[in-house]
Structure formats: C-alpha cells, structure tokens
C-alpha cells in the first residue's frame, strides 16, 4: 500500500540559477560560511535571528570574501532541537520568516556573488510531522507506521526496548507509545527516525530536493548523512556507554553501505538542474577512508572532515591527518574539506586554549589568550591547505565559547538528557555581536533588546564594528587571508602538498599552482619561537614576526604564508 506524501504548498517562483564561469568546479576550492539562523541577525527584535536578518547581513559575507553560505535549518519546526526536528520540509518556520524571505535570500545572495546551500534533515523528522501524527493515530501494522521504525518491545509484556541502542543525546534510543509499540529515535524523542527502506520516504525527499532546487538553491548539507540506513534486524550493539559522534567503533545504526544508493539517487536529481548543485555530507565515520565513500564520483561532492576538526594542536598528528585526507580524497577524485568549528562543537578559539585531548566539547574556558593565538594560526594553516574550507559564523571575530551560561537559558536537548553529547552545544550558539557597546550588540534592531542566549559583556570589543579597519584584528586577518587565497593561483583547489624539512613541532609545506608562484605555509605549533630559512616574501601572518637576514623568526603558535 502506498502512502501519500504531505500536501505540498506551491513552490515559490523559481530563481535563476547562479551563473559563474567556473560553475563546474566552484566547490573544489570554495570557502563556505555556516550561518546558524537563530544566532546570526534578528530583524524584528524578538531575540531570535531570522532570514530577513541574514539577508541584511549578506554584504558582510561578500566583504569577508567567502564563496558560499550554508544555512542551518529554518523549516517549520517545534524547535525541540533548534530546527533539526522538522515538521514540514517545504515551509519556513514563522519564527524565521516566510517563503518570500527564503526566495529573497537566495536572490540577494546570488546578486552578491554568493552561492547558497540549505540544510536538509533526512534521518529524522519532528514528532509533529503529519506522518508521525498519522502513525500514532492509525496504530500498529498501518502504512503510516511503516514510514518509521516501530517495533514491539522485549520482555514478557513488551516493557523493554527492542534493542540496546542509546540516543546520541543520552538515554535509550526508543520511546514507547500508548498502544505498547516502541519507535526509534537516535536523537531526541521528539525526532523519530524515518524508515529509509520504505520507497515512500525516498520519493518524498526527492520531491523536497526539487522543491528547493526550483527556488534556485545551489546545494544541500545533509544532516546525519551516515545514519539513514540501519543494519537489518536492528541488532544489539552489545556494549554499554555513551555513543559519541567521534567514536571509532562501527555502529549498526551508522555508516551502513545502504546509504550510498540514496545519495546516488539524489545526485541524479541534482543533475537535472543547470549549474553545479552540490551535496555535502555530515558523515561522522570511523575513518577518513570511510568518509571518502560518500564522495565517489556518482555520489556527493564533499564530506566534512571531522577527523581534522578533532585533531589536537600537534604537528605530527596534523601532518598525518592532512596526508591521509588528501590520499583518500584523491582516490575518488573529490576535494578535501577542512573545518575547525561548527554549531555542534566548542569553538576552536576555546578548544585550542585547553590541554590536548580535551575533546570537541568542554565547559572550561581554558587560556583565552593562548586559544585565540592558536586559533588564528590554525585558521591560516587550514586556509593554506588544498581543497575547500568551512567557516562557522563568528569565528572571523575570534569569538570564544560561552562556558558559563545559566542552566535555565540552555536550549540544547542533549543538556537535559543524561550524558548526551556532553550537553554543551549552546556555548557555540550564542548570538554574534555586530555593533554598539551594549547588548545585543547589533544582533537585534534596538539597544537593550532581547537575545535568546545572553552575550558576554566582553563581546562589545569583538563586534564587526569594533574590529573593522583595525590592523591586526581577527576580522581583518580573515579578510586578508581570503583576499590572498583568492589572488594566489597556488592556493585554493588542489590535492597535493609538498612537505619541507622543518624543526620538531613545525609544519612547512609548499603549494604549487600551474599559473602561479609557489606559496609556502609555515606553522610553528610549539611554545617557543623558531628560526627557519627565509621561504620567500611574506604574504600574511597570524601574528607579528621578524625577518633576520636570510632567516624568518616565527613566534610560538604562529602561521605565515610566503610567496616563493
């Protein structure tokens, strides 16, 4: 029995596809900026960012020098997990605006030369999605229940969950409904997992993709891309403890081979449209080689490099992950990607100020001076590597995580469930400062207006306004880095690096372009200054350095770019 898809509203008037002479290759060397809508810019003063706010701030992204903007979910949602619980994939949630705002955002971005990537959340939907509401109403054995993972429980009276899987947010991955069956949710109970073995689910998402492609969107970041297909029979894991996103143990609900046919199908949908539309995998896999499976020539275009993000500030470890990444991606003809921060992990300004091995989420502020110095150096190293780079909103301002948020303001569902994902994602989601000397620092339209999470007083000194035109500011460092990266043919896209001999704790690599002079990237990851043979003319450095005759004096925790 087939099951009807939710009634779709009429798609907004189609926007023209983004035209660019390098359209076929744009993503291979692109710098893509993540916008977390509720924390970017608030146009109406309700304390929550929105699409109109994003539209108004797009010139900042153009001036920063990025190539594309990735926008986290803004779809209709009860907001149990900040929009990653979608109740209607074709509607804009009123808290963020309406369909006209979405259409206008894509149009405005294209006029400014920016491509737009929307988030899509296919692993699970909201408990308020009409499919799930129908499944609850129609009961066991219904076609509606077959759209999800409903099963009888174990035990004499079915009182135990069907298996031992745990939620990423903590606690059992199963919730029992009134008629006695249990449904699977790898995240919060308000986010039931969809059953991707059901052809109705697959057809529905093809329709959703086309809906937004018709609007003119340039691609999709695919949430939990590794989780859609579960192992047949839903077997027990056979061990206890929290299931971490960065765990190395293969899980029967993650990274199953069956996901790849889904993305081959999606790739065919994107190829129906003019221009180069892209798919980006959020795939937390045990190895970089497994991540490469998602970007084979007929599947996705990019996959986030979470192994790089999670690597400590250590020269040997970073060199190894760079080499492993480039080799794995070269084998499948895909570009490498590099990322240091996003909406799910502690900002790297804070993370790098903590001792090695602290993980990707933490509550301690660490050493803020050391953290910022290392973060600036890490950014120049990342932007000097071959491939595509992702920036998270506010990192261009050097924003730290906010580690002292009161419990009563926290919104992350993992905070309210035992041991789930450590529960500290709110700290990287505090609204960013734009201008002024009092909260919300230009995030909203009026001084003293609300902000859904409180901002630290010190952020008045980190706003876009406070840093613009200030030599040595983190904002101007980012602007300069992206300018140089765009101007130098040897930087950006590519798949090769040449390592140079360097002292212990120092990385030195050469990038060579066909039409440009080589660029040398040197990073001192030690706590002492080092002297290196002068690699060439200085292009840019993350901190002040000296040239002494034929030697470069590289301070501790500093990266420099040199034109050979």
């Amino acid at each position: 029995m087939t099951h009807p898809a939710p009634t779709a509203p009429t798609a907004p008037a189609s926007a023209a596809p983004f035209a660019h002479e390098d359209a076929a290759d744009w993503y291979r060397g692109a710098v893509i900026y993540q916008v977390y809508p509720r924390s970017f810019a608030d146009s109406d003063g309700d304390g929550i960012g929105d699409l109109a706010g994003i539209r108004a701030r797009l010139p900042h992204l153009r001036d920063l020098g990025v190539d594309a903007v990735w926008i986290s979910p803004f779809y209709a949602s009860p907001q149990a997990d900040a929009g990653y619980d979608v109740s209607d994939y074709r509607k804009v949630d009123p808290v963020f605006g309406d369909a006209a705002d979405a259409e206008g955002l894509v149009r405005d971005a294209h006029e400014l030369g920016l491509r737009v990537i929307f988030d899509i959340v296919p692993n699970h939907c909201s408990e308020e999605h009409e499919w799930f509401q129908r499944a609850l109403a129609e009961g066991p054995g219904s076609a509606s229940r077959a759209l999800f993972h409903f099963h009888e429980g174990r035990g004499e009276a079915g009182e135990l969950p069907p298996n031992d899987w745990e939620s990423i947010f903590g606690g059992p991955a199963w919730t029992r409904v009134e008629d006695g069956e249990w449904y699977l949710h790898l995240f919060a109970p308000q986010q039931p997992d969809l059953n991707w073995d059901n052809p109705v689910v697959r057809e529905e998402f093809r329709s959703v993709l086309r809906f937004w492609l018709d609007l003119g969107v340039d691609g999709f970041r695919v949430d939990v891309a590794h989780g859609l297909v579960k192992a047949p029979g839903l077997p027990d894991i056979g061990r206890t403890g929290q299931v971490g996103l960065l765990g190395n143990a293969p899980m029967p609900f993650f990274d199953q081979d069956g996901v790849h046919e889904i993305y081959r199908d999606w790739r065919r949908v994107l190829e129906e449209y003019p221009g180069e539309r892209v798919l980006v995998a959020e795939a937390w896999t045990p190895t970089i080689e497994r991540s490469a499976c998602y970007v084979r020539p007929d599947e996705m275009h990019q996959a986030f490099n979470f192994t790089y993000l999670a690597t400590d500030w250590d020269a040997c470890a970073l060199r190894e992950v760079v080499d492993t990444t480039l080799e794995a991606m070269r084998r499948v003809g895909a570009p490498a990607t590099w990322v240091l921060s996003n909406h799910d992990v502690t900002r790297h300004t804070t993370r790098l100020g903590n001792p090695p091995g602290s993980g990707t989420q933490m509550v301690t502020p660490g050493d803020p001076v050391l953290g910022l110095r290392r973060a600036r150096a890490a950014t120049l190293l990342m932007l000097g590597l071959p491939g595509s780079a992702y920036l998270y909103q506010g990192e261009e301002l050097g924003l730290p995580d906010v580690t002292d948020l009161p419990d009563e303001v926290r919104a992350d569902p993992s905070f309210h469930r035992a041991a789930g994902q450590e529960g500290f994602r709110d700290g990287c989601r505090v609204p960013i400062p734009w201008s002024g000397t009092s909260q919300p620092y230009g995030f909203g339209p009026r001084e003293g207006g609300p902000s859904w999470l409180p901002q630290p007083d010190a952020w008045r000194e980190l706003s876009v306004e406070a840093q613009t035109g200030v030599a040595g500011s983190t904002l101007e460092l980012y602007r300069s880095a992206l300018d140089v990266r765009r101007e130098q043919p040897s930087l950006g896209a590519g798949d090769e690096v040449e390592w140079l001999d360097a002292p212990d704790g120092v990385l030195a690599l050469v990038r060579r372009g066909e039409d440009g002079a080589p660029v040398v990237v040197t990073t001192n990851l030690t706590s002492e200054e080092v002297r290196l043979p002068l690699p060439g003319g200085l292009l840019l450095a993350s901190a002040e350095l000296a040239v002494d005759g034929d030697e470069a004096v590289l301070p501790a925790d500093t990266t420099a770019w040199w034109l050979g």
Side-chain angles (χ1 to χ4, degrees):
M1 175 180 179
T2 59
H3 194 99
T7 302
T10 302
S14 296
F18 185 68
H20 192 280
E21 60 184 358
D22 297 324
D25 298 316
W26 73 267
Y27 64 94
R28 291 186 170 272
V31 176
I32 301 170
Y33 185 102
Q34 180 189 0
V35 165
Y36 191 70
R38 64 176 47 240
S39 300
F40 191 67
D42 169 21
S43 70
D44 58 12
D46 65 356
I48 300 175
D50 47 46
L51 297 185
I54 298 171
R55 292 179 67 185
R57 296 295 188 179
L58 285 174
H60 168 71
L61 303 184
R62 175 202 58 198
D63 296 344
L64 185 62
V66 302
D67 301 291
V69 54
W70 150 36
I71 302 173
S72 292
F74 53 82
Y75 312 112
S77 167
Q79 304 296 320
D81 184 22
Y84 283 92
D85 51 316
V86 180
S87 57
D88 192 325
Y89 289 87
R90 298 176 180 83
K91 289 184 179 178
V92 176
D93 194 287
V95 74
F96 298 123
D98 57 26
D101 290 315
E103 181 181 4
L105 191 160
V106 173
R107 182 180 62 249
D108 291 355
H110 285 174
E111 289 176 355
L112 291 172
L114 299 168
R115 292 177 173 85
V116 181
I117 295 171
F118 282 178
D119 227 309
I120 191 166
V121 189
N123 179 71
H124 49 263
C125 64
S126 166
E127 64 179 347
E128 295 187 12
H129 192 287
E130 70 171 277
W131 276 6
F132 192 71
Q133 289 297 304
R134 202 179 300 162
L136 293 178
E138 294 179 2
S142 66
S144 296
R145 291 226 169 164
L147 299 171
F148 301 91
H149 295 277
F150 275 91
H151 292 276
E152 294 181 352
R154 298 191 289 194
E156 291 184 6
E159 72 278 10
L160 300 176
N163 64 25
D164 65 357
W165 294 3
E166 293 184 9
S167 164
I168 297 301
F169 288 163
W174 296 90
T175 290
R176 199 177 193 187
V177 300
E178 290 185 0
D179 56 46
E181 285 198 332
W182 298 74
Y183 69 88
L184 177 67
H185 53 85
L186 293 184
F187 294 86
Q190 299 92 336
Q191 297 168 288
D193 277 45
L194 290 158
N195 178 11
W196 276 86
D197 291 330
N198 191 317
V200 176
V201 173
R202 299 193 179 212
E203 180 55 38
E204 166 65 356
F205 275 87
R206 282 191 287 267
S207 174
V208 170
L209 293 176
R210 291 188 176 101
F211 180 84
W212 294 110
L213 289 166
D214 287 342
L215 184 83
V217 70
D218 299 288
F220 301 93
R221 176 265 189 188
V222 184
D223 186 62
V224 195
H226 56 304
L228 275 58
V229 173
K230 283 69 174 175
L234 308 183
D236 283 343
I237 293 174
R239 67 178 181 87
T240 60
Q242 168 62 23
V243 177
L245 288 179
L246 285 169
N248 291 323
M251 298 295 173
F253 48 77
F254 279 161
D255 195 30
Q256 296 292 311
D257 288 340
V259 299
H260 298 293
E261 180 50 42
I262 296 170
Y263 302 130
R264 293 186 185 100
D265 184 46
W266 286 18
R267 179 68 173 258
R268 291 189 288 269
V269 171
L270 265 63
E271 289 176 349
E272 297 171 4
Y273 289 79
E276 187 75 19
R277 318 293 178 100
V278 300
L279 292 169
V280 182
E282 185 212 25
W284 297 85
T285 62
T287 66
I288 293 172
E289 289 81 3
R290 287 295 297 182
S291 294
C293 294
Y294 290 76
V295 289
R296 289 175 287 200
D298 59 346
E299 294 188 42
M300 296 194 177
H301 300 76
Q302 292 185 341
F304 290 142
N305 192 343
F306 293 121
T307 304
Y308 184 79
L309 181 153
T311 302
D312 285 331
W313 187 241
D314 177 86
C316 291
L318 284 167
R319 176 168 174 170
E320 181 179 0
V321 74
V322 168
D323 284 342
T324 301
T325 297
L326 293 176
E327 175 61 23
M329 297 302 156
R330 192 182 302 118
R331 289 174 180 170
V332 293
T337 67
W338 315 101
V339 59
L340 292 168
S341 288
N342 63 35
H343 65 292
D344 280 331
V345 300
T346 298
R347 288 183 178 275
H348 63 284
T349 300
T350 296
R351 198 170 68 245
L352 294 176
N354 276 266
S358 296
T360 60
Q361 294 178 324
M362 59 198 65
V363 291
T364 57
D367 182 336
V369 175
L370 177 64
L372 179 59
R373 185 178 186 89
R374 286 180 172 176
R376 289 162 59 99
T379 295
L380 281 198
L381 173 60
M382 176 183 76
L383 292 174
L385 295 172
S388 178
Y390 281 79
L391 310 179
Y392 177 51
Q393 65 177 45
E395 71 170 78
E396 76 274 22
L397 306 176
L399 296 184
D401 249 52
V402 181
T403 58
D404 58 354
L405 289 170
D407 289 358
E408 61 268 20
V409 305
R410 291 184 177 274
D412 184 355
S414 66
F415 178 78
H416 302 285
R417 291 172 64 85
Q421 221 172 9
E422 298 184 53
F424 302 114
R425 298 182 301 169
D426 288 316
C428 65
R429 299 176 178 184
V430 175
I432 66 175
W434 292 93
S435 60
T437 58
S438 62
Q439 294 192 41
Y441 306 118
F443 168 66
R446 66 180 185 278
E447 187 174 311
S451 171
W452 74 280
L453 286 174
Q455 302 152 301
D457 291 339
W459 281 19
R460 64 170 58 93
E461 300 173 1
L462 299 178
S463 71
V464 174
E465 179 183 64
Q467 294 194 50
T468 295
V470 177
S473 72
T474 301
L475 175 58
E476 292 301 340
L477 174 67
Y478 270 73
R479 287 172 172 168
S480 297
L482 295 182
D483 281 346
V484 173
R485 191 178 188 272
R486 185 168 48 251
E487 292 168 358
Q488 294 297 327
S490 294
L491 294 175
D495 61 7
E496 298 280 353
V497 298
E498 175 187 336
W499 295 104
L500 304 176
D501 291 337
D504 289 345
V506 176
L507 294 176
L509 62 91
V510 182
R511 298 286 315 281
R512 301 182 187 276
E514 294 182 1
D515 301 321
V519 173
V520 179
V521 179
T522 56
T523 302
N524 178 9
L525 295 95
T526 75
S527 57
E528 305 291 337
E529 72 176 31
V530 296
R531 288 177 172 264
L532 302 171
L534 192 63
L538 181 64
L539 287 170
L540 188 65
S542 64
E544 290 188 17
L545 54 77
V547 173
D548 183 7
D550 59 357
E551 288 187 320
V553 183
L554 201 61
D557 299 308
T558 298
T559 295
W561 292 353
W562 311 85
L563 187 62

